[in-house]
């Protein structure tokens, strides 16, 4: 949970926010209230960990018998798939609850917000996959 909850969002902040390349919506919302982006990392990480935990339990990704490379990859990908589906549902649900009356085809700002949320989703999935795969390979003794 530490890797999915702290390391992955912190890497997103280090690579994108600190360099001025891109600021995710979850970081924008926290900094808009006057808080630092450092407080946004564990808050967003809690959501990512909440998505990863059911996936890892369902795929038995924490089992001690996953020292076979093929089985380790299968369990990582299964857990990642479940976590990705849960994250997609939570992302779209948050858009629906905040902008349920908006037509994304005609409203430019709403469409732009949905594109930001989708890009944040892709960033989260990619960084979670990289961080958790490296951690799991390290834990299994492949690295």
């Amino acid at each position: 949970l530490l890797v999915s909850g702290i390391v992955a969002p912190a890497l997103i902040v280090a690579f994108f926010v600190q360099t001025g390349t891109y600021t995710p919506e979850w970081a924008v919302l926290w900094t808009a209230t006057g808080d630092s982006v450092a407080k946004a990392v564990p808050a967003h990480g809690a959501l990512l960990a909440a998505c990863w935990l059911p996936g890892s339990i369902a795929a038995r990704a924490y089992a001690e018998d996953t020292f076979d490379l093929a089985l380790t990859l299968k369990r990582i990908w299964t857990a990642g798939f479940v976590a990705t589906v849960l994250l997609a549902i939570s992302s779209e649900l948050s858009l629906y609850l905040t902008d349920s009356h908006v037509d994304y085809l005609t409203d430019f700002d709403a469409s732009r917000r949905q594109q930001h949320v989708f890009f944040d989703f892709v960033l989260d999935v990619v960084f979670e996959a990289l961080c958790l795969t490296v951690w799991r390979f390290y834990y299994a003794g492949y690295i």
Side-chain angles (χ1 to χ4, degrees):
L1 293 177
L2 178 69
V3 173
S4 65
I6 300 294
V7 175
L11 285 175
I12 291 172
V13 168
F15 286 136
F16 293 101
V17 177
Q18 297 297 325
T19 61
T21 307
Y22 176 75
T23 304
E25 284 289 315
W26 52 268
V28 170
L29 293 174
W30 277 86
T31 55
T33 61
D35 290 332
S36 71
V37 75
K39 290 183 179 179
V41 168
H44 184 66
L47 171 69
L48 296 176
C51 292
W52 171 253
L53 188 61
S56 62
I57 290 171
R60 294 185 20 184
Y62 292 118
E64 291 291 328
D65 64 342
T66 54
F67 293 105
D68 175 34
L69 181 61
L71 184 60
T72 301
L73 284 173
K74 178 183 175 192
R75 288 185 178 174
I76 288 172
W77 291 341
T78 304
F81 176 75
V82 172
T84 301
V85 168
L86 291 174
L87 185 61
I89 290 170
S90 69
S91 295
E92 287 303 314
L93 188 61
S94 70
L95 278 176
Y96 177 74
L97 292 176
T98 57
D99 295 333
S100 62
H101 64 282
V102 175
D103 184 13
Y104 289 106
L105 296 176
T106 59
D107 191 359
F108 177 74
D109 288 332
S111 178
R112 188 176 52 140
R113 183 167 182 262
Q114 183 164 10
Q115 290 170 358
H116 276 275
V117 169
F118 178 74
F119 188 69
D120 293 347
F121 168 76
V122 170
L123 279 179
D124 287 337
V125 169
V126 168
F127 274 84
E128 286 284 320
L130 288 173
C131 291
L132 290 169
T133 302
V134 168
W135 172 80
R136 190 64 182 114
F137 280 173
Y138 176 78
Y139 181 72
Y142 293 115
I143 297 177

